[in-house]
Amino acid sequence: HQMDRLQHLLSVPFNLDGQKYPSTISIGMAIGQPNLEYRPADLLRDAHTAMYRAKALGKTRFEVFAAGMLTEAVNRLQLESDLITALDNQEFLLYYQPIVSLQSGVLAGFEALVRWRQKDRGFVLPSAFIPAAEETGLIMALGQWIFREACRQLRQWQELFPQHQHLTMSINLSNRQFSQPDLVTQIAAALEETQVSGECIRLEITESMVMGDVDRAFDLMLQLKSLDLKLAIDDFGTGYSSLSYLHRFPMDTLKVDKSFVGRLENSNEDRAIIHTILNLGHQLGLDVVAEVSETEAQVVMLKQAGCDYGQGYFFAKPLDHQ
Ligand code: C2E
Ligand code: MG
Ligand code: MG
């Protein structure tokens, strides 16, 4: 109750040069226990940890310190510290998952998916480290490495298998990379260095990246298109795409999110949603890829519905370069 009052009092907008500005406050609280000996510094540390938890949970709230929070914070710090050395130690590698044309059954390309092999943690999937890499900023250097490495691999395959020049490499971009001022220069340099032409590369971006500052995103996409790159919108249907913007963006591909494909076999309603997305994509002149096609039944339905490409365990899991 006291906390609520404090929160309320400190959240009153403040005056600056006659203008009112909003302020928010996140509070962390640690409580000493009579039978335990606390040093003041420990209490402050715990309150600090709780405050960061309050911020992480969306700010403008308060959290009371609990024992698990410290372990969690220490684990996170350890993860971030391990990540910093991972790039130098060459602990990252790329896996490649085939993307198959549903109508012809022919291999159309790959999506590059990053993996982390670490001595204590073993084989780590991106969901466990990409958020920390984003937060620490390591994603910039990592993303640059991923782009270059995927291009290098594609170039090598093009040289080994000259009859498969049409194969494309899809590469994921992270939020922070998308807002990096020198992204276009970096990509141009990597293409030049690896001797890969832009049209073989498909950059995957998500709805949330482009819906924030639409004008800036639009401008950036045009610059990327000027390098002949293909652009895909990843996990389509999970973000908050405004359909009124979608047709303005110079996109080539729409990747239907797994949540829709996964429900294909369940109900007519779910099939209707996929049909609608396919229609939308095709009306906008986009290729449609169904992510996470796992079963034969799904693949048959997707093919009948006119979906262009499939990617999923039914065809192959992500594989290393051999
Ligand atoms: P995404 O880009 O949507 O990638 C598709 C994910 O679905 C991959 O997970 C892939 O392994 C998984 N998948 C494909 N087919 C199937 C299937 O049939 N069944 C199931 N259960 N899963 C399937 P992964 O590799 O764990 O990557 C997860 C996410 O991490 C990616 O989602 C992407 O957002 C991010 N990510 C992966 N690699 C990179 C990268 O190099 N850079 C960046 N920025 N993000 C990446
Ligand atoms: Mg992707
Ligand atoms: Mg996806």
Side-chain angles (χ1 to χ4, degrees):
H1 180 67
Q2 290 295 323
M3 282 304 193
D4 282 338
R5 258 179 40 127
L6 194 58
Q7 186 105 45
H8 184 74
L9 285 172
L10 291 172
S11 301
V12 175
F14 59 92
N15 263 310
L16 198 67
D17 282 343
Q19 296 245 44
K20 283 202 168 182
Y21 292 92
S23 73
T24 60
I25 147 164
S26 306
I27 305 173
M29 188 164 61
I31 304 165
Q33 277 153 30
N35 51 342
L36 290 175
E37 188 116 353
Y38 279 97
R39 286 179 305 159
D42 292 344
L43 264 182
L44 278 174
R45 179 201 60 202
D46 291 352
H48 226 81
T49 306
M51 180 194 67
Y52 278 108
R53 166 61 70 91
K55 285 183 190 291
L57 292 175
K59 305 195 176 139
T60 326
R61 55 186 289 155
F62 71 89
E63 282 294 316
V64 181
F65 179 80
M69 284 184 193
L70 193 61
T71 350
E72 218 171 88
V74 170
N75 286 345
R76 176 72 177 215
L77 198 63
Q78 186 61 51
L79 175 70
E80 290 176 0
S81 148
D82 288 345
L83 271 174
I84 289 171
T85 48
L87 202 56
D88 291 336
N89 294 348
Q90 303 185 328
E91 293 168 1
F92 293 109
L93 64 162
L94 293 186
Y95 269 33
Y96 302 93
Q97 188 175 34
I99 299 174
V100 176
S101 160
L102 288 177
Q103 308 306 323
S104 67
V106 171
L107 179 68
F110 305 91
E111 176 173 2
L113 295 160
V114 69
R115 302 289 184 257
W116 180 24
R117 215 195 295 275
Q118 208 259 350
K119 60 177 178 0
D120 304 321
R121 300 168 190 273
F123 196 79
V124 194
L125 288 173
S127 55
F129 68 86
I130 292 272
E134 282 254 347
E135 195 155 302
T136 54
L138 178 82
I139 195 72
M140 313 283 199
L142 177 59
Q144 206 172 350
W145 177 82
I146 290 169
F147 189 87
R148 211 169 279 255
E149 177 61 16
C151 288
R152 194 199 55 73
Q153 184 60 67
L154 181 67
R155 178 70 195 160
Q156 193 185 43
W157 282 335
Q158 285 175 339
E159 279 165 4
L160 283 171
F161 312 102
Q163 68 278 27
H164 293 300
Q165 294 297 324
H166 68 282
L167 294 181
T168 61
M169 183 66 82
S170 296
I171 304 174
N172 293 284
L173 275 194
S174 81
N175 267 314
R176 278 189 74 169
Q177 275 178 288
F178 198 70
S179 44
Q180 220 176 335
D182 62 344
L183 179 71
V184 179
T185 334
Q186 261 184 35
I187 288 182
L191 290 174
E192 171 83 31
E193 190 193 301
T194 54
Q195 295 286 298
V196 167
S197 74
E199 59 188 355
C200 306
I201 303 296
R202 193 179 309 272
L203 283 181
E204 297 196 354
I205 53 194
T206 59
E207 293 162 82
S208 60
M209 293 186 202
V210 295
M211 288 303 156
D213 183 344
V214 174
D215 292 324
R216 199 195 144 270
F218 184 67
D219 192 55
L220 181 55
M221 284 191 231
L222 286 184
Q223 290 183 48
L224 293 168
K225 288 303 291 180
S226 73
L227 299 175
D228 289 335
L229 295 165
K230 299 217 164 61
L231 300 179
I233 196 138
D234 204 352
D235 306 333
F236 183 76
T238 57
Y240 299 95
S241 275
S242 163
L243 294 181
S244 59
Y245 289 126
L246 200 58
H247 78 277
R248 268 182 65 195
F249 291 142
M251 287 286 170
D252 303 275
T253 306
L254 197 152
K255 295 189 87 169
V256 186
D257 189 66
K258 51 179 166 294
S259 51
F260 300 112
V261 183
R263 293 193 305 240
L264 252 186
E265 292 158 84
N266 295 356
S267 70
N268 286 329
E269 285 80 6
D270 286 313
R271 273 193 290 283
I273 293 178
I274 289 259
H275 276 278
T276 307
I277 296 178
L278 277 167
N279 241 320
L280 174 73
H282 288 152
Q283 290 291 329
L284 295 174
L286 309 176
D287 290 332
V288 182
V289 182
E291 282 192 300
V292 183
S293 322
E294 283 188 331
T295 67
E296 181 164 13
Q298 285 168 357
V299 171
V300 169
M301 278 182 212
L302 288 164
K303 184 176 171 182
Q304 278 169 358
C307 186
D308 304 284
Y309 300 97
Q311 172 185 354
Y313 294 176
F314 174 74
F315 300 106
K317 291 198 167 185
L319 306 161
D320 72 10
H321 65 93
Q322 285 141 356

